[in-house]
């Protein structure tokens, strides 16, 4: 059941550590992801790919690579691994073609756009590219959490895992690095409410 109450989606989200035994249909997972990818990204390069870890065997494997979140992985309907693409320019051609097909800019502008983008990224060092890719993965993560809640599912963001092991076991390609793991399912607990520092205490107007 979808939840269209934005305030409820955001305010009442909880980090869940134990889930009910429930399978989520592949199409519904794709529907959640298609909402998540509406996230902004630097120059719209969308430097992310996903692996949905849903089989018991794969979840058991992944659970051995996290530091303290074994239950969240094993009881989840699935765990999502968000990979960040370190070579940002890999998506230039795909994005340019999509912009043309979508009618966002004319076909005659495509080659000029692609050349400009490639030249721009050629002047950027690898550390800057890696920072952008990781930052964009964070933006997408926030969108995914809200999208999952919209579809009636709960989540837990997991940042503590052995990155080399997760990459070796699950990465679809060598230029993809694991950024975030998210467990997803229907909560089998209330989840804790947590304190947030008021915006008034951490905001300065100039």
């Amino acid at each position: 059941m979808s939840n269209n109450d934005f305030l409820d989606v955001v305010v009442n989200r909880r980090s869940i550590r134990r889930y009910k035994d429930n399978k989520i249909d592949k199409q519904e997972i794709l529907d959640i992801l298609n909402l998540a990818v509406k996230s902004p990204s630097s120059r719209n390069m969308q430097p992310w790919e996903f692996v949905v870890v849903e089989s018991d065997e794969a979840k058991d494997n992944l659970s051995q690579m996290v530091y303290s979140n074994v239950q969240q992985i094993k009881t989840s309907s699935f765990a999502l691994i968000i990979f960040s693409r370190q070579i940002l320019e890999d998506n230039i051609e795909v994005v340019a073609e999509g912009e043309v097909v979508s009618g966002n800019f004319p076909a005659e502008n495509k080659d000029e756009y692609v050349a400009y983008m490639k030249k721009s990224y050629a002047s950027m060092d690898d550390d800057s590219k890696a920072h952008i890719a990781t930052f964009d993965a964070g933006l997408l993560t926030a969108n995914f959490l809200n999208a999952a809640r919209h579809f009636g599912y709960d989540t837990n963001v997991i940042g503590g895992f052995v990155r080399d092991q997760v990459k070796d076991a699950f990465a679809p390609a060598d230029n993809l690095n694991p950024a975030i793991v998210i467990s997803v399912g229907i909560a089998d607990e209330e989840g804790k409410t947590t304190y947030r520092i008021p915006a008034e205490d951490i905001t300065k107007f100039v």
Side-chain angles (χ1 to χ4, degrees):
M1 182 181 295
S2 62
N3 180 358
N4 292 315
D5 185 339
F6 180 74
L7 280 179
D8 178 66
V9 165
V10 174
V11 174
N12 292 319
R13 185 199 159 271
R14 301 287 182 266
S15 291
I16 297 302
R17 291 165 174 77
R18 187 176 68 252
Y19 300 94
K20 295 179 180 179
D21 184 10
N22 178 71
K23 296 295 283 185
I24 301 177
D25 181 77
K26 284 182 171 61
Q27 185 55 56
E28 193 167 29
I29 295 173
L30 291 172
D31 289 343
I32 296 170
L33 286 169
N34 275 317
L35 275 184
V37 298
K38 298 296 184 182
S39 170
S41 63
S42 177
R43 296 182 174 181
N44 196 33
M45 284 298 100
Q46 306 165 56
W48 45 60
E49 288 193 25
F50 313 114
V51 169
V52 175
V53 181
E54 60 176 354
S55 71
D56 289 340
E57 180 182 359
K59 285 191 291 184
D60 283 344
N61 190 17
L62 179 60
S63 70
Q64 297 175 44
M65 303 173 189
V66 300
Y67 293 131
S68 60
N69 301 278
V70 173
Q71 181 177 241
Q72 290 95 306
I73 298 293
K74 285 192 170 184
T75 64
S76 68
S77 297
F78 70 92
L80 179 74
I81 308 174
I82 300 175
F83 288 90
S84 60
R85 182 183 296 276
Q86 300 306 296
I87 304 175
L88 298 177
E89 54 268 41
D90 276 0
N91 275 352
I92 291 175
E93 295 279 357
V94 174
V95 171
E97 181 63 25
E99 296 285 21
V100 170
V101 171
S102 301
N104 294 334
F105 60 65
E108 56 266 26
N109 289 1
K110 177 185 172 182
D111 290 344
E112 181 182 357
Y113 167 83
V114 169
Y116 168 79
M117 293 294 283
K118 286 183 177 180
K119 181 179 179 181
S120 176
Y121 281 117
S123 66
M124 188 179 295
D125 63 83
D126 289 344
D127 285 345
S128 295
K129 291 180 182 180
H131 172 76
I132 290 170
T134 303
F135 178 82
D136 286 349
L139 293 175
L140 180 128
T141 296
N143 243 25
F144 178 86
L145 301 180
N146 290 334
R149 279 272 293 155
H150 165 72
F151 278 87
Y153 299 112
D154 302 288
T155 54
N156 192 309
V157 179
I158 300 167
F161 55 89
V162 185
R163 279 160 170 74
D164 289 346
Q165 291 182 10
V166 172
K167 179 172 182 171
D168 290 344
F170 294 101
D174 189 56
N175 70 327
L176 296 170
N177 289 334
I180 302 287
V181 175
I182 306 173
S183 62
V184 185
I186 297 175
D188 196 26
E189 61 177 13
E190 277 193 28
K192 296 179 181 178
T193 59
T194 53
Y195 172 75
R196 293 294 188 271
I197 301 171
E200 292 83 356
D201 294 348
I202 53 175
T203 304
K204 180 180 180 181
F205 293 87
V206 296

